[in-house]
């Protein structure tokens, strides 16, 4: 990203570099928290509108599809029209999604709200990530760290906050979405205080054409990383869609807050895993993360079989640590040595894999749960995730010599945002 002096073309009323960086961090956490809020509310809506796990996971999964499309189409728009217009538009669109949630009186409204939310998050993801890299201090580059850790932290804040409201407030959906709508409108206003770090440049229309491509030199590494990317994001989709329902129906944890804490255990640990893995060699991080992930998911199966709540939460923490470490290692491995002109296309391919894995398996699981039961589906789902993670471990060990990290520039990506 650009490393120029911000003051060269920034009006005086705007924030300087460090305050702008932390303001962008706050905006990112707010947007992520808003995207994580629906997780503990799915059970509320399923009871209110009388739908089962199949419909629940469709409501969840359509968000990921909308986010992916928006990310691929407008992800690079701020490089041409400026960061601030895209940020302000994305935040206002997210606020409108909260209003649609407020008006929801059926499944159709929920689907519409999640689509709008997904589109807004897709527009905000790349732009906020780029702004963090633009405004970080060169001598202390914290942008990659924030980009890696923020998703797990923000989603956890949103889920736990909504869980508290559901448990202790009479009209939880009204409170949650009204407060968030107001907060997001105010956040859009604060964009005026941010420096414009990306001057207008030609090519805005051309940037709307999705660029998804795995360059030939990166294909071996991409194929090695593919199983663990699919496994990790598939498990994340299961936790964020059916996690609270699983805690209630299989483990008898009817408390909405406890269901939210399960999401915190997994997502918060994923953020920690990404932080801990920043100094680890990429392939080593991927192998170690995949191994830890597999152990954690095996513990999840043990929890389902024994009905142990303690084992369930321990498994969520271990799985999350492996998730964060493995995904960071996998994407760093695939992007090692990639030419600058190919970075966007390669990362887009990783996003496609991530969001499809995040949504499609969860929808299939929700649909299957209506006929064979949520517990059985979760056990099979977890077993498949273990097999995929171990395939990645075996693949890297067998092909370590064929995938060379030439010491070239490694892209430090944000974890794909999801909820």
């Amino acid at each position: 990203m650009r490393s120029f002096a911000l003051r060269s073309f920034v009006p005086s009323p705007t924030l300087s570099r460090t305050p702008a960086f932390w303001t962008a961090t706050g905006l990112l956490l707010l947007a992520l928290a808003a995207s994580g809020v629906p997780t503990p509310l799915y059970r509320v809506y399923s009871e209110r509108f009388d739908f089962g796990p199949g419909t629940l996971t469709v409501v969840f999964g359509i968000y990921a599809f909308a986010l992916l499309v928006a990310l691929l189409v407008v992800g690079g728009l701020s490089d041409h029209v400026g960061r601030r217009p895209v940020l302000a538009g994305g935040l206002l669109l997210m606020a409108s999604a909260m209003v649609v949630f407020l008006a929801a009186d059926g499944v159709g409204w929920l689907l519409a709200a999640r689509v709008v939310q997904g589109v807004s998050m897709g527009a905000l993801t790349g732009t906020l990530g780029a702004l963090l890299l633009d405004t970080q201090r060169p001598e202390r580059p914290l942008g990659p760290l924030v980009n890696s850790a923020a998703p797990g932290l923000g989603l956890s804040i949103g889920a736990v906050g909504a869980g508290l409201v559901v448990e202790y407030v009479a009209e939880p959906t009204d409170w949650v979405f009204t407060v968030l709508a107001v907060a997001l409108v105010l956040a859009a206003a604060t964009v005026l205080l941010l420096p414009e770090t990306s001057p207008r440049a030609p090519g805005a229309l051309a940037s709307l054409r999705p660029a998804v491509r795995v360059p030939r030199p990166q294909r071996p590494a991409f194929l090695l990383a593919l199983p663990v990317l699919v496994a990790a994001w598939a498990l994340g989709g299961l936790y964020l869609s059916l996690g609270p329902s699983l805690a209630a129906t299989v483990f008898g944890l009817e408390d909405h807050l406890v269901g939210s804490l399960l999401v915190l255990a997994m997502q918060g640990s994923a953020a920690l895993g990404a932080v801990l893995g920043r100094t680890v060699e990429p392939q080593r991080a991927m192998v170690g993360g995949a191994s830890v992930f597999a152990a954690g998911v095996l513990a999840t199966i043990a929890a389902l079989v024994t009905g142990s709540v303690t084992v369930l939460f321990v498994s969520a923490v271990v799985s999350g640590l492996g998730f964060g470490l493995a995904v960071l290692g996998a994407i760093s491995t695939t992007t090692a040595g990639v030419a600058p002109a190919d970075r966007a296309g390669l990362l887009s391919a990783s996003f496609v894999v991530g969001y499809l894995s995040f949504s499609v398996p969860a929808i299939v699981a929700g649909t299957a749960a209506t006929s064979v039961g949520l517990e059985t589906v979760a056990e099979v789902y977890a077993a498949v995730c273990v097999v995929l993670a171990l395939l990645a471990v075996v693949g890297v060990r067998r092909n370590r010599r064929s995938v060379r990290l030439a010491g070239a520039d490694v892209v430090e990506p944000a974890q794909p945002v999801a909820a």
Side-chain angles (χ1 to χ4, degrees):
M1 299 303 298
R2 298 172 176 81
S3 58
F4 46 75
L6 297 179
R7 295 184 185 278
S8 59
F9 60 88
V10 174
S12 56
T14 59
L15 298 172
S16 60
R17 182 184 295 274
T18 299
F21 176 86
W22 292 113
T23 299
T25 299
L27 293 178
L28 179 59
L29 288 173
L30 174 62
L32 288 164
S35 67
V37 155
T39 294
L41 297 175
Y42 289 139
R43 281 180 55 211
V44 175
Y45 282 122
S46 66
E47 294 168 3
R48 183 180 299 176
F49 302 142
D50 191 27
F51 59 79
T55 301
L56 187 157
T57 49
V58 170
V59 173
F60 165 80
I62 199 170
Y63 164 87
F65 286 118
L67 193 158
L68 176 60
V69 171
L71 185 64
L72 293 178
V73 174
V74 301
L77 184 61
S78 71
D79 288 335
H80 302 276
V81 303
R83 309 279 188 237
R84 296 199 299 182
V86 178
L87 283 181
L91 289 166
L92 290 175
L93 191 60
M94 181 75 80
S96 70
M98 302 301 106
V99 174
V100 178
F101 273 118
L102 274 171
D105 60 1
V107 174
W109 282 92
L110 293 181
L111 292 171
R114 288 296 275 172
V115 168
V116 175
Q117 191 176 37
V119 170
S120 64
M121 199 68 230
L124 291 170
T125 297
T127 306
L128 282 169
L131 182 61
L132 287 169
L133 297 181
D134 291 343
T135 56
Q136 66 182 353
R137 299 185 68 85
E139 69 276 13
R140 195 185 179 198
L142 295 177
L145 173 61
V146 173
N147 274 328
S148 295
L153 179 60
L155 291 170
S156 299
I157 291 171
V160 173
L164 283 169
V165 174
V166 170
E167 197 61 34
Y168 298 112
V169 176
E171 297 293 336
T173 55
D174 291 350
W175 276 92
V176 167
F177 294 120
T178 299
V179 170
L180 279 175
V182 172
L184 288 162
V185 170
L186 294 176
T190 66
V191 171
L192 296 174
L193 302 176
L194 293 172
E196 180 51 84
T197 61
S198 181
R200 291 180 179 272
L205 289 179
S207 74
L208 301 179
R209 184 174 62 249
V212 179
R213 190 174 74 87
V214 180
R216 186 177 296 276
Q218 275 67 44
R219 288 176 189 173
F222 187 84
L223 290 175
L224 286 180
L226 194 60
V228 75
L229 286 174
V230 172
W233 282 103
L235 188 72
L238 181 70
Y239 268 84
L240 285 166
S241 60
L242 295 173
S245 297
L246 191 68
T249 59
V250 178
F251 295 90
L253 301 174
E254 294 288 344
D255 191 309
H256 291 275
L257 178 58
V258 174
S260 301
L261 291 175
L262 182 62
V263 174
L264 172 63
M266 201 270 185
Q267 289 293 324
S269 298
L272 179 60
V275 173
L276 295 176
R278 291 187 69 250
T279 59
V280 180
E281 184 270 328
Q283 285 193 36
R284 189 180 298 275
M286 183 168 68
V287 170
S291 301
V292 172
F293 175 85
V297 182
L298 282 172
T300 301
I301 296 174
L304 290 167
V305 172
T306 63
S308 172
V309 175
T310 301
V311 175
L312 175 66
F313 274 87
V314 170
S315 71
V317 171
V318 175
S319 300
L321 285 171
F323 177 107
L325 183 59
V327 169
L328 182 64
I331 299 184
S332 295
T333 295
T334 60
T335 55
V338 64
D342 292 325
R343 287 176 181 172
L346 179 56
L347 286 175
S348 295
S350 299
F351 283 135
V352 169
V353 170
Y355 283 112
L356 290 179
S357 303
F358 186 76
S359 54
V360 174
I363 293 173
V364 172
T367 303
T370 59
S371 57
V372 301
L374 190 55
E375 181 177 355
T376 300
V377 166
E379 291 170 356
V380 174
Y381 196 107
V384 172
C385 288
V386 170
V387 171
L388 289 172
L390 294 179
L391 280 176
V393 173
V394 172
V396 171
R397 288 179 175 171
R398 286 184 176 178
N399 296 274
R400 188 174 290 274
R401 291 183 181 179
S402 66
V403 182
R404 301 180 182 277
L405 296 181
D409 208 12
V410 176
V411 177
E412 292 260 21
Q415 292 183 12
V417 179

